[in-house]
């Protein structure tokens, strides 16, 4: 059995020559040659799309350092990693991933690690399984990305919660445009006291808030800081925030929320306070998870194309894994407004 104790390279990655580092990986070869990991993969697999000069440079480094491919090849499995599986939109993401994996005759494994800070599973478990690629709904830390790169496992970040370094592949949505479109809709109905319940200080929440503020400025409606509340992206927190907003003498006539779960919390707060939707209060959510079409009244919300985003992310990850040249590392799919029955002109 190979001894892979901390600080000692795995036997299948040790340098056969004495002039290289203790552990030679495909990432090291790529960095030394000044090329990407997919380019090295193309050279190793004899694929086209690499200039003769680059191919010669990569081959020379492979020979000099005695790089040998790991004996255990990557499995034909797409690993879908969540930090937590509590959110309703997880089903839509899984559906999109499976759609692409089925066409590629690949399996899908769903992992959950780091839930509430409890490391029941970690990126080391994922690396050990050697999937063909990783689609991470969880935000990958720099060290986690480095571990995947070191093993030549391609990855794509789904709907990143923070800004990513250049070159890190991701698929997201037009969050700024979604926030702007939702607020414009309420303004066009005649609302002027429009509150927003936002989420934590994540990139997509900041973008949705920026879209909201942009639409207000465009309509020459002053942004009231007291109408912008930040809380967690849950039904209970949305309810608590709405209860406080709606208990004011000058309560808002409309509330836009950063996700649909918060919007369902607004519904609960309105019921508790005896307010009707949309008669007394218009509500707009964000995500368009299937259940919001069945609530009473059906929710107007920004449609985030979760399944389509998952399809695009999986196709991107598999393409990178095959060593193909991809036109761009980051993709943003368009959001659209789905108008239902939770919005109407304000009374009076």
């Amino acid at each position: 059995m190979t001894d892979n104790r901390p600080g000692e390279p795995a036997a299948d990655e040790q340098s056969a020559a004495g002039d290289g580092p203790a552990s030679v990986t495909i990432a090291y070869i790529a960095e030394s040659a000044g090329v990407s990991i997919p380019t090295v993969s193309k050279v190793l697999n004899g694929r086209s799309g690499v200039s003769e000069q680059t191919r010669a440079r990569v081959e020379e480094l492979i020979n000099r350092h005695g790089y040998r491919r790991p004996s255990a090849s990557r499995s034909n499995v797409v690993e879908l990693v969540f930090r937590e599986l509590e959110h309703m939109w997880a089903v839509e993401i899984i559906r999109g991933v499976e759609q692409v994996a089925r066409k590629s005759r690949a399996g899908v494994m769903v992992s959950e690690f780091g839930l509430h800070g409890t490391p029941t599973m970690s990126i080391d478990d994922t690396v050990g399984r050697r999937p063909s690629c990783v689609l991470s709904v969880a935000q990958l830390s720099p060290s986690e990305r480095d571990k995947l790169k070191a093993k030549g496992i391609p990855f794509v970040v789904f709907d990143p919660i923070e800004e990513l370094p250049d070159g890190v592949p991701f698929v997201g949505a037009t969050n700024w445009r979604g926030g702007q479109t939702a607020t414009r809709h309420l303004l066009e109905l005649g609302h002027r006291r429009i509150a927003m319940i936002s989420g934590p200080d994540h990139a997509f929440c900041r973008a949705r808030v920026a879209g909201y503020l942009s639409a207000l400025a465009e309509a020459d409606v002053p942004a009231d800081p007291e109408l912008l509340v930040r809380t967690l992206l849950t039904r209970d927190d949305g309810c608590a925030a709405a209860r406080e907003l709606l208990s004011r003498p000058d309560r808002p006539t409309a509330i836009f929320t950063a996700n649909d779960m918060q919007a369902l919390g607004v519904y609960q707060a309105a019921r508790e306070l005896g307010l009707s939707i949309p008669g007394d209060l218009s509500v707009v959510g964000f995500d368009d998870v299937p259940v919001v079409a069945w609530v009473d009244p059906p929710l107007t919300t920004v449609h985030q194309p979760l399944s389509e985003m998952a399809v695009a992310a999986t196709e991107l990850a598999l393409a990178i894994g095959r060593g193909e040249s991809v036109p761009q590392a980051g993709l943003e799919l368009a959001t659209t407004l789905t108008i239902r029955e939770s919005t109407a002109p304000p009374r009076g």
Side-chain angles (χ1 to χ4, degrees):
M1 181 178 291
T2 301
D3 182 3
N4 288 344
R5 290 171 293 179
E8 297 183 25
D12 59 32
E13 291 185 342
Q14 290 174 356
S15 173
D19 58 351
S23 176
V24 176
T25 66
I26 190 172
Y28 178 83
I29 296 294
E31 183 179 0
S32 300
V35 299
S36 65
I37 289 174
T39 297
V40 177
S41 177
K42 287 181 182 179
V43 174
L44 287 168
N45 291 289
R47 292 197 180 112
S48 60
V50 182
S51 70
E52 289 304 315
Q53 183 180 5
T54 299
R55 188 181 299 277
R57 185 165 72 253
V58 172
E59 288 177 344
E60 191 275 329
L61 285 164
I62 289 171
N63 293 331
R64 183 200 307 171
H65 294 301
Y67 173 78
R68 296 188 299 272
R69 296 182 208 228
S71 56
S73 60
R74 295 205 308 263
S75 61
N76 189 29
V77 171
V78 176
E79 184 153 348
L80 176 58
V81 177
F82 290 89
R83 288 291 178 193
E84 56 184 11
L85 276 165
E86 293 179 347
H87 297 294
M88 298 178 68
W89 42 253
V91 175
E92 297 300 302
I93 297 171
I94 293 170
R95 182 178 291 119
V97 173
E98 288 186 331
Q99 178 182 331
V100 177
R102 195 179 307 118
K103 292 179 182 177
S104 302
R105 297 186 178 278
V108 176
M109 177 176 181
V110 178
S111 300
E112 182 181 33
F113 62 78
L115 179 61
H116 305 310
T118 304
T120 52
M121 297 182 71
S122 71
I123 200 67
D124 293 323
D125 298 304
T126 298
V127 169
R129 287 187 286 270
R130 293 187 180 276
S132 59
C133 60
V134 170
L135 174 57
S136 178
V137 181
Q139 186 72 31
L140 293 173
S141 67
S143 64
E144 289 171 334
R145 295 196 298 264
D146 288 343
K147 287 179 179 180
L148 291 170
K149 288 178 182 177
K151 293 294 184 181
I153 301 173
F155 61 88
V156 173
V157 178
F158 183 96
D159 202 17
I161 63 173
E162 61 186 41
E163 300 297 331
L164 293 169
D166 291 343
V168 174
F170 72 91
V171 172
T174 53
N175 290 295
W176 183 88
R177 180 66 68 187
Q180 184 188 55
T181 302
T183 311
R184 276 180 177 173
H185 169 64
L186 293 169
L187 288 163
E188 288 166 0
L189 288 172
H191 293 277
R192 290 299 178 265
R193 286 194 60 75
I194 303 171
M196 180 175 181
I197 301 175
S198 183
D201 190 29
H202 296 332
F204 68 89
C205 289
R206 292 195 299 270
R208 294 172 190 181
V209 170
Y212 157 79
L213 294 173
S214 172
L216 292 178
E218 180 182 68
D220 292 324
V221 174
D224 184 346
E226 293 190 357
L227 293 182
L228 176 57
V229 181
R230 290 178 172 84
T231 187
L232 299 179
L233 297 165
T234 69
R235 181 175 181 271
D236 288 345
D237 288 284
C239 179
R243 192 182 294 121
E244 193 278 328
L245 285 167
L246 297 173
S247 297
R248 298 176 181 177
D250 57 345
R251 63 176 177 82
T253 60
I255 297 179
F256 167 46
T257 63
N259 76 346
D260 288 341
M261 293 301 98
Q262 289 180 333
L264 295 181
V266 175
Y267 273 45
Q268 179 181 343
R271 283 195 301 271
E272 292 174 359
L273 296 169
L275 299 175
S276 68
I277 298 173
D280 299 311
L281 177 71
S282 287
V283 183
V284 180
F286 203 115
D287 283 338
D288 199 16
V289 295
V291 69
V292 300
W294 301 98
V295 297
D296 184 23
L299 178 68
T300 294
T301 185
V302 178
H303 176 73
Q304 186 172 209
L306 294 170
S307 289
E308 293 91 337
M309 290 163 63
V311 165
T314 310
E315 289 176 341
L316 179 60
L318 289 171
I320 295 171
R322 291 190 294 266
E324 297 176 7
S325 176
V326 295
Q328 58 189 106
L331 301 172
E332 283 193 342
L333 274 63
T335 54
T336 54
L337 184 67
T338 301
I339 300 175
R340 297 195 179 99
E341 297 169 30
S342 66
T343 51
R347 284 180 177 168

